[in-house]
Amino acid sequence: MTHGTGAQGEYRERPSRLPGAAMWTRTPAPGPGATRPVLPDGCMDLLWTEGRLFVAGPDTRAHLPGAAGTAGRHVGIRFHPGTAPAILGVPAHELRDRRVDLADLWTATRVRRLTACVDSARDPVAALEDLALDRAADTGPPDPFLAEVVRLLDAGRSVAATAAALGVDARRLHRRSLPAFGYGPKTLARMLRLQRALALARTGLPYAATATAAGFADQAHLARDVKELTGRSLTALLGAP
């Protein structure tokens, strides 16, 4: 379980019973404070805050929470890349860089009932997880093709090598990727590489070694990509509370 506290409040995370997913909660600290960006990771989330269920689409840049209506405790399930569209019933590219009420995707009556269930639950985290598990049971297992795309790209394979390993051409891989991930495989690879670099850097690995291990050309390439995707330097991200 991941657990953090600081000026921005408390964040907790644990693995979900839904394979590949994670459950998380964020409770803001009282009073004003800096806002930690939500960094792009190739994932989509289903979120609850009292009286509202909504979906965070796949991001291509850092998202800054804190807009009107986003205060208060948030609970979310972060789906493994490529799995949310089947569960939610919407292509990922339609939600790219967006936050959308679940009532815009499902019937309003159904969403009101589900929202009331989570609102009234003693444990909203478990209630949201049960909602996702029920929906996943209705939609069947994840597509193994998509899981293999993620595995190969996250291992540092090029788009061309990934397509070849899967027995498709680059154009078909791109077509399959858009509705599943929200963008093409080249962009997905970039998001996964960013997350690899952040994980390595958080262990204290020097930036030059982090760049090499994560698949960047050099430290300067790492610095540019982090800045373009997050709006912050790697040092600032690592020092965020």
Side-chain angles (χ1 to χ4, degrees), residues 58-145:
D59 291 323
T60 59
R61 57 186 180 275
H63 172 78
L64 290 175
T70 62
R73 183 189 185 197
H74 280 67
V75 171
I77 177 167
R78 185 171 62 250
F79 298 102
H80 189 70
T83 61
I87 294 172
L88 298 174
V90 61
H93 62 272
E94 293 186 7
L95 302 181
R96 186 172 52 237
D97 292 319
R98 298 176 62 199
R99 270 59 181 163
V100 177
D101 283 322
L102 189 60
D104 292 336
L105 308 177
W106 297 358
T107 63
T109 300
R110 182 185 184 193
V111 173
R112 280 196 300 270
R113 175 176 58 80
L114 294 172
T115 304
C117 287
V118 183
D119 283 350
S120 62
R122 294 183 63 181
D123 183 357
V125 178
L128 185 69
E129 185 174 31
D130 286 342
L131 188 166
L133 285 165
D134 288 346
R135 177 66 180 177
D138 291 338
T139 57
D143 185 338
F145 178 90

Side-chain angles (χ1 to χ4, degrees), residues 24-225:
W24 58 266
T25 62
R26 190 186 301 277
T27 305
T35 301
R36 179 187 300 175
V38 177
L39 304 181
D41 57 7
C43 299
M44 293 173 59
D45 294 56
L46 176 63
L47 302 94
W48 168 87
T49 189
E50 188 172 359
R52 185 187 180 202
L53 285 167
F54 64 106
V55 176
D59 291 323
T60 59
R61 57 186 180 275
H63 172 78
L64 290 175
T70 62
R73 183 189 185 197
H74 280 67
V75 171
I77 177 167
R78 185 171 62 250
F79 298 102
H80 189 70
T83 61
I87 294 172
L88 298 174
V90 61
H93 62 272
E94 293 186 7
L95 302 181
R96 186 172 52 237
D97 292 319
R98 298 176 62 199
R99 270 59 181 163
V100 177
D101 283 322
L102 189 60
D104 292 336
L105 308 177
W106 297 358
T107 63
T109 300
R110 182 185 184 193
V111 173
R112 280 196 300 270
R113 175 176 58 80
L114 294 172
T115 304
C117 287
V118 183
D119 283 350
S120 62
R122 294 183 63 181
D123 183 357
V125 178
L128 185 69
E129 185 174 31
D130 286 342
L131 188 166
L133 285 165
D134 288 346
R135 177 66 180 177
D138 291 338
T139 57
D143 185 338
F145 178 90
L146 300 175
E148 191 67 0
V149 172
V150 176
R151 187 189 72 80
L152 291 170
L153 292 177
D154 199 28
R157 293 279 194 100
S158 68
V159 172
T162 296
L166 292 169
V168 298
D169 60 27
R171 183 174 297 181
R172 178 168 173 77
L173 179 59
H174 188 85
R175 286 199 305 267
R176 291 288 302 273
S177 295
L178 281 178
F181 308 116
Y183 27 63
K186 184 175 181 179
T187 299
L188 175 62
R190 195 180 182 203
M191 305 306 171
L192 296 173
R193 186 176 61 188
L194 169 69
Q195 291 298 323
R196 291 198 303 274
L198 291 172
L200 289 166
R202 288 181 182 122
T203 69
L205 192 69
Y207 290 176
T210 291
T212 300
F216 291 88
D218 51 30
Q219 185 175 336
H221 181 201
L222 167 65
R224 287 195 305 272
D225 233 37

